[in-house]
Amino acid sequence: MTIDSTALKVNLRTTAVTKIKIPKKYNILRAAVKDYRGVSTALEELLNELYHPYCNWYIVIPELRS
């Protein structure tokens, strides 16, 4: 299914980010879970969402709770 929406395309271009800068203080947490693929993937997704300039709190809050 494809959505042909000019507004959506503009929104995606506006919020697109090529690089998200995650503070180095989280490297110790990354190292602690590096051997646990599922946890490591979830952590990376959480950190990317948390430090994205247009953070979606409705995604971050439930992830932090879990």
Side-chain angles (χ1 to χ4, degrees):
M1 179 174 137
T2 60
I3 300 173
D4 190 25
S5 167
T6 304
L8 177 59
K9 289 175 186 175
V10 169
N11 187 9
L12 291 174
R13 275 196 310 267
T14 302
T15 60
V17 176
T18 56
K19 181 81 170 140
I20 297 172
K21 185 163 174 67
I22 299 171
K24 290 183 181 186
K25 67 182 179 181
Y26 291 105
N27 288 346
I28 193 163
L29 187 55
R30 287 171 156 161
V33 299
K34 71 178 166 94
D35 295 329
Y36 302 95
R37 187 175 179 183
V39 177
S40 180
T41 301
L43 174 64
E44 288 304 315
E45 290 173 0
L46 174 63
L47 291 174
N48 282 322
E49 189 61 45
L50 186 61
Y51 284 96
H52 191 283
Y54 301 100
C55 178
N56 291 314
W57 288 106
Y58 68 90
I59 294 173
V60 172
I61 298 299
E63 288 297 316
L64 286 173
R65 288 182 179 155
S66 69

